[in-house]
Amino acid sequence: MRQFCLLLILSFSFLECIAQTCPILTSPIENATNVSVDASIRWESIEGVTGYLVSVGTSSGGGEIVDNQQVGSSNSIKPSTGLPENTRIYVTITLFFFNQPNIPCETQSFTTENVTIVPECTSMISPLNGANNVNVAANIRWQYANKAKSYRITVGLSPGGSEILNNFDVGNVLSYNPPSDLPADTKIYVRITPYNENGNASGCPEESFTIGPVAQLPGCTTLISPLDGAINVPLSPFVEWEAVPGATGYNVSIGKTPDENDILDGGNFSRNSTFVFNFESNNVYFIRIIPFNAAGLAIDCPQYSFSTVLGCGPFYGDDGELVTINPVLEFPEFVGICSEQPQTLSTDFVAAGYRWYKVGQFEDELISEEREITIDQVGTYLLEAYNYTYSGDIECPTLKQFEVLESDPPTIDEVEVLENELGLKITVTVKGNGQYEYALDPAGPFQSENVFLSADIDTEAVYVRDVGGCGVVEYRIQFTNNNQGFPKFFTPNGDGYNDTWQYRTKGSDDFALLVIYIFDRYGKLLKSLSPNSRGWDGEISGQPLPTSDYWYKAITTDRQIFSGHFALKR
């Protein structure tokens, strides 16, 4: 993506620079060569942009092929008559906003192919082949033919005839407007032949339609509300257009791009107004209204466009940054309440309004619209926080569902302390019906993990609290600094010194050992020792083990665990 800096001349004659991301071409890519003359032009979608204005030309910044065409939220355009061959094509994309000036992006370019084949045939799109009761004032329209540079059209009153028009070269256009009305109650025969410098399309079929009796078509109408080009239009607007004399109805199409009627595709209305519901915010909408009567549809009626309100976002603000109105809602997925003790919940963010719901099987119950709420029942709840759009009439909500669970005070089941190069690794195992947090100091900080990887060697206690407020439990680490009672090494060589390995009781001990386990480096249990035994002599089943590091795990009578390692030297 490219960064573009727009200088805005503001009041008091100072300049403000707005950084804005501009899209790059994705197909064809910039500086591509041998691009098909039939190619669609595509670019990256930019989040928060209202729409795009596109120019396609044969000169830098020019619009000889497409001139500043509004394409809405679509990120592509296909020139209706294709691209000229063997030509450098320039594409200029302008970001369209209605809350700040439009931003023209840097022109990008590519080169088209050299066409060496004749074009394909085309077909009529209005009137359709075989159509009946066509109005005498009808124009003839056809589809773009791949590789075509121009078209010749023949119009006759009999098969193969050319009584009205004989092989007339209309140029690189896709319609022909007869200079006078076609004869009433007559079958018309049309042959359209695309061509380029390589020759004519071959075998193109003749098509036909039948003109109905003479009748007067209605004229086109004008959009009254919203006005063409209006901005900040409500999301459910009242759409009104001028009544047309002689019209019995109106054919209305609405879409988010000029070529796609994805909102309303040819709806017929007997009145000259209608409500449209649930437009999306920060979008351009295109509307075409065609009056009709028994003679047919009005011809060449224009397309109008308007832009909706900014809404909740995301959209680009005046500073060029993406803006979202919805609150950023941080709230836990689980909340604990102590048995028979109501819990007060509050948000740690500010919003324009709040709603708390108790989620039911069939219907959610609104229980509060305050920032705080007191809950005394377990179950599923929903928090909705919302802000208002800049227009002040649309809520922008954020929802968070959470579970309220019954909690109990924690019970510490086991504390394992392991000395390592970082200090102490402390693992706390608890029992209880609740969510718990852990700390090495009563004032915190508390953490959700039950393992401390690098506690200070002088750590004296661990603290466990219930997040629902059901209490804090302290557990004294009696073994801190008692590693000295476990020898760092022993030498079972029979010289009477350090021949066995065993815990050396100290007078300051205020605990009682239950058992000591010894493991090899792979975690295999080698020996279990009674604290009153002579200790381990370095042998298993009468076989001496080699020099290496070995590990121990000592368990006290109150289920405290202390671990470490020592060396066997021979």
Side-chain angles (χ1 to χ4, degrees):
M1 294 185 181
R2 303 181 177 194
Q3 299 294 323
F4 187 89
C5 190
L6 174 68
L7 295 179
L8 299 177
I9 302 178
L10 303 178
S11 58
F12 308 109
S13 300
F14 68 91
L15 300 179
E16 179 180 5
C17 183
I18 295 180
Q20 175 64 63
T21 300
C22 278
I24 63 173
L25 292 180
T26 58
S27 177
I29 62 174
E30 187 174 14
N31 294 321
T33 58
N34 202 35
V35 174
S36 172
V37 295
D38 307 321
S40 294
I41 300 171
R42 302 180 183 278
W43 55 90
E44 293 176 313
S45 293
I46 303 299
E47 185 179 26
V49 173
T50 307
Y52 307 93
L53 300 170
V54 183
S55 292
V56 182
T58 55
S59 61
S60 181
E64 295 86 354
I65 302 170
V66 176
D67 188 15
N68 213 34
Q69 181 174 325
Q70 171 69 268
V71 298
S73 57
S74 174
N75 65 328
S76 69
I77 188 173
K78 185 170 184 177
S80 60
T81 56
L83 300 170
E85 66 171 318
N86 201 25
T87 302
R88 191 75 175 179
I89 303 297
Y90 298 86
V91 181
T92 305
I93 301 171
T94 298
L95 305 183
F96 170 73
F97 301 90
F98 57 85
N99 63 321
Q100 64 182 55
N102 295 340
I103 298 178
C105 294
E106 180 181 350
T107 297
Q108 302 169 71
S109 63
F110 55 87
T111 303
T112 55
E113 64 182 336
N114 178 33
V115 177
T116 59
I117 60 175
V118 298
E120 301 175 2
C121 290
T122 185
S123 59
M124 288 193 304
I125 57 176
S126 177
L128 290 173
N129 185 35
N132 293 306
N133 202 34
V134 176
N135 191 269
V136 295
N139 295 338
I140 300 173
R141 304 177 186 277
W142 55 90
Q143 294 178 328
Y144 166 69
N146 291 340
K147 315 297 184 186
K149 187 175 182 179
S150 191
Y151 302 85
R152 296 187 178 95
I153 180 171
T154 296
V155 183
L157 303 176
S158 60
S162 57
E163 294 87 351
I164 298 176
L165 197 65
N166 185 18
N167 205 31
F168 181 69
D169 192 334
V170 297
N172 191 21
V173 296
L174 301 178
S175 66
Y176 174 70
N177 183 9
S180 60
D181 288 349
L182 297 171
D185 297 313
T186 303
K187 192 166 187 176
I188 305 297
Y189 296 85
V190 178
R191 187 185 304 275
I192 303 169
T193 305
Y195 74 91
N196 59 26
E197 72 276 13
N198 302 296
N200 296 331
S202 61
C204 294
E206 185 175 67
E207 300 175 276
S208 64
F209 54 88
T210 302
I211 300 297
V214 175
Q216 185 67 41
L217 283 176
C220 291
T221 184
T222 301
L223 186 65
I224 297 175
S225 177
L227 291 173
D228 185 34
I231 63 174
N232 214 33
V233 173
L235 300 186
S236 295
F238 179 69
V239 179
E240 185 180 11
W241 54 92
E242 289 183 352
V244 174
T248 58
Y250 304 88
N251 183 273
V252 180
S253 295
I254 305 175
K256 293 173 68 176
T257 67
D259 304 315
E260 184 180 7
N261 301 322
D262 52 342
I263 307 301
L264 179 64
D265 190 9
N268 290 332
F269 296 86
S270 59
R271 300 175 56 184
N272 62 319
S273 62
T274 183
F275 274 104
V276 180
F277 296 97
N278 298 326
F279 277 155
E280 294 181 11
S281 60
N282 197 34
N283 269 279
V284 180
Y285 286 90
F286 299 85
I287 180 170
R288 192 186 304 275
I289 306 166
I290 306 176
F292 63 86
N293 59 21
L297 297 168
I299 296 174
D300 291 335
C301 292
Q303 187 178 64
Y304 302 98
S305 65
F306 52 83
S307 304
T308 51
V309 296
L310 283 174
C312 300
F315 53 83
Y316 279 98
D318 293 339
D319 59 357
E321 299 294 327
L322 277 176
V323 175
T324 300
I325 303 297
N326 305 69
V328 177
L329 200 162
E330 296 182 359
F331 199 79
E333 293 185 5
F334 299 95
V335 174
I337 58 173
C338 300
S339 301
E340 300 179 358
Q341 295 183 28
Q343 171 80 338
T344 298
L345 307 181
S346 178
T347 62
D348 56 1
F349 56 89
V350 177
Y354 310 86
R355 298 186 186 99
W356 303 81
Y357 296 89
K358 178 73 165 61
V359 177
Q361 183 177 0
F362 303 105
E363 185 178 359
D364 298 341
E365 177 189 359
L366 177 64
I367 54 179
S368 177
E369 295 186 72
E370 302 296 328
R371 187 172 180 179
E372 290 187 346
I373 186 174
T374 300
I375 293 178
D376 59 4
Q377 294 180 348
V378 299
T380 303
Y381 291 81
L382 185 69
L383 168 60
E384 177 186 32
Y386 59 90
N387 290 324
Y388 288 105
T389 58
Y390 291 146
S391 58
D393 57 351
I394 300 174
E395 289 185 3
C396 299
T398 302
L399 302 176
K400 176 68 175 184
Q401 183 170 296
F402 61 95
E403 297 290 331
V404 175
L405 307 174
E406 185 173 341
S407 293
D408 295 325
T411 299
I412 296 181
D413 186 44
E414 188 175 84
V415 176
E416 180 179 16
V417 183
L418 173 65
E419 184 180 5
N420 56 37
E421 63 276 8
L422 300 176
L424 297 179
K425 176 184 177 183
I426 302 175
T427 304
V428 185
T429 304
V430 300
K431 295 187 298 186
N433 179 29
Q435 279 191 293
Y436 304 116
E437 294 178 323
Y438 308 84
L440 301 178
D441 186 278
F446 282 83
Q447 64 181 42
S448 59
E449 296 295 327
N450 68 323
V451 179
F452 300 89
L453 296 175
S454 56
D456 189 86
I457 195 71
D458 294 323
T459 300
E460 297 180 350
V462 294
Y463 301 86
V464 184
R465 72 178 182 186
D466 172 59
V467 297
C470 293
V472 180
V473 175
E474 177 190 52
Y475 192 95
R476 306 299 299 179
I477 300 178
Q478 300 169 327
F479 257 24
T480 302
N481 284 332
N482 281 307
N483 308 58
Q484 303 167 31
F486 293 97
K488 294 295 184 182
F489 69 93
F490 76 116
T491 56
N493 54 13
D495 64 358
Y497 297 97
N498 298 320
D499 284 335
T500 60
W501 186 92
Q502 174 64 286
Y503 179 74
R504 299 170 183 171
T505 303
K506 301 186 298 181
S508 59
D509 288 348
D510 54 359
F511 57 87
L513 285 178
L514 181 65
V515 64
I516 303 172
Y517 297 104
I518 298 175
F519 305 86
D520 65 13
R521 60 186 301 180
Y522 302 107
K524 179 182 178 181
L525 178 62
L526 302 176
K527 189 76 172 178
S528 61
L529 301 177
S530 166
N532 300 320
S533 70
R534 178 172 172 267
W536 184 44
D537 59 5
E539 295 183 359
I540 298 296
S541 301
Q543 297 296 319
L545 295 185
T547 297
S548 184
D549 274 353
Y550 294 86
W551 293 80
Y552 64 88
K553 181 177 181 180
I555 302 177
T556 67
T557 54
D558 62 354
R559 303 300 297 171
Q560 184 174 342
I561 298 175
F562 195 71
S563 302
H565 61 92
F566 61 93
L568 187 159
K569 300 180 180 180
R570 293 191 182 276

